[in-house]
Amino acid sequence: MVDGLVGTGGEPESSDSLRTFGAVVQALREHAVLSREEFGALVRFSKHTVASVEQGRRMPDPEFVERAEEVLGNTGALRKAARHLGRQPGLAAWFRRWAAMEALAITLYTYECRLIPGLLQTEAYARQLFIDELPPLSDEQIEAQWTARAARQRLLRERPNTAFGFILEEHLFLRRTGGVQVTRELIDHVLEIAQLRNVEIQVMPLVRSSHAGLHGSMQLLETPENKWFAYTEAPESGQLISDPKVISVLQRRYARMRAQALTLDDSVSLLERMRGAL
């Protein structure tokens, strides 16, 4: 289980339910004769967040649901509807809120020591991971997995104002997951993504006497409201972290790793040399 994708035991998430919930919010807001900006001020969320919820693009935060209830009559309708929000195909239950936040983030930092992050994977690389899942996935599950992952990858190009940062361990490329040809395509793809102005990719060298990331992989995210969250994942579980003290520690670790990893230019040079050696 990596990047919140579901194995055989995960529950699918339906985007229809998000759109239905959003339509209910919009109908109640319009009935109250409130613009999105006015409603956003009352629930203490931006008008852009309100729009994303109403359009079914964002899983509503619990605070959003509670405040919206109070503003829109306190009927209990939104609380009850929120309990039945479905889950997007290919995404695990615990990952759904992070995925919704990820889609709106203005900053997203990722450190990965296990495998290439989902946002950077090629289809061939991702499918090898799905094939290696235990218990084995069906063909239908593999297709759902890849569809969900490919949809998430569009964020890199569809959100040019979002700053994406990745620190990747060198051994992730040396492992040659899927074989030599898959690795060639993977490195070519990562080098292409590294050319985007909003993406920074650094490689942590294989030999490093001091390493701030030995506690494991992590992700850090900044929302449009300039709030920071973190996410860590273990087999069959994930943890969304909102505690500012914990996030502060993770931010310091990530900052230290940025200094310990190769520079952007040196990372590209290393990847090019690794590609040439295949």
Side-chain angles (χ1 to χ4, degrees):
M1 169 64 65
V2 176
D3 278 342
L5 293 182
V6 175
T8 53
E11 297 180 58
E13 182 169 348
S14 167
S15 59
D16 289 343
S17 64
L18 288 175
R19 286 193 291 269
T20 299
F21 179 87
V24 172
V25 172
Q26 182 174 354
L28 291 174
R29 174 181 61 77
E30 292 175 347
H31 181 72
V33 196
L34 293 170
S35 69
R36 282 177 176 163
E37 187 170 5
E38 292 168 335
F39 178 65
L42 292 172
V43 298
R44 302 197 294 281
F45 282 86
S46 72
K47 65 179 181 180
H48 304 292
T49 298
V50 174
S52 294
V53 171
E54 291 185 350
Q55 294 164 9
R57 294 187 289 110
R58 170 171 178 155
M59 178 71 69
D61 294 351
E63 295 86 355
F64 181 97
V65 176
E66 287 301 315
R67 295 170 191 169
E69 273 285 7
E70 295 172 3
V71 171
L72 299 176
N74 215 20
T75 64
L78 294 180
R79 291 191 191 96
K80 292 179 181 177
R83 296 183 198 137
H84 300 287
L85 286 173
R87 299 170 183 169
Q88 186 176 344
L91 293 182
W94 60 80
F95 189 71
R96 66 183 188 272
R97 186 179 175 193
W98 179 262
M101 295 167 66
E102 183 183 67
L104 297 170
I106 61 173
T107 307
L108 183 64
Y109 294 143
T110 300
Y111 164 64
E112 187 55 74
C113 59
R114 302 163 299 177
L115 45 75
I116 300 299
L119 290 176
L120 299 179
Q121 292 173 8
T122 62
E123 181 173 355
Y125 181 93
R127 286 185 179 276
Q128 183 62 53
L129 299 181
F130 303 150
I131 290 171
D132 291 339
E133 278 281 351
L134 292 173
L137 303 180
S138 67
D139 290 344
E140 292 76 14
Q141 288 172 318
I142 289 176
E143 290 305 317
Q145 299 268 25
W146 171 244
T147 298
R149 186 156 294 180
R152 286 180 57 222
Q153 290 181 349
R154 291 199 295 268
L155 293 175
L156 296 173
R157 289 186 168 86
E158 291 180 354
R159 296 190 61 81
N161 299 121
T162 295
F164 294 91
F166 299 90
I167 299 176
L168 311 175
E169 292 288 344
E170 180 181 353
H171 70 254
L172 300 181
F173 300 95
L174 296 174
R175 184 175 295 135
R176 299 185 182 181
T177 299
V180 171
Q181 183 56 37
V182 171
T183 303
R184 287 195 188 105
E185 294 175 359
L186 175 67
I187 295 177
D188 287 342
H189 177 67
V190 172
L191 287 170
E192 178 185 349
I193 295 298
Q195 300 306 309
L196 297 176
R197 289 194 300 274
N198 61 325
V199 178
E200 294 184 345
I201 297 176
Q202 292 180 263
V203 176
M204 183 68 76
L206 189 62
V207 178
R208 194 71 180 81
S209 61
S210 178
H211 193 327
L214 298 181
H215 291 271
S217 302
M218 65 176 182
Q219 295 185 72
L220 292 162
L221 176 153
E222 183 184 8
T223 71
E225 295 78 29
N226 304 114
K227 294 182 180 179
W228 283 88
F229 293 86
Y231 180 77
T232 61
E233 197 169 78
E236 304 304 324
S237 66
Q239 181 182 16
L240 177 63
I241 302 168
S242 59
D243 186 337
K245 293 182 179 179
V246 178
I247 292 172
S248 176
V249 172
L250 296 178
Q251 287 175 321
R252 280 180 279 167
R253 287 179 186 165
Y254 191 87
R256 180 68 62 83
M257 282 190 285
R258 292 180 76 172
Q260 294 171 333
L262 299 178
T263 65
L264 300 178
D265 289 343
D266 287 346
S267 295
V268 167
S269 295
L270 175 60
L271 289 173
E272 289 175 341
R273 292 197 303 272
M274 294 173 71
R275 172 64 172 82
L278 292 173

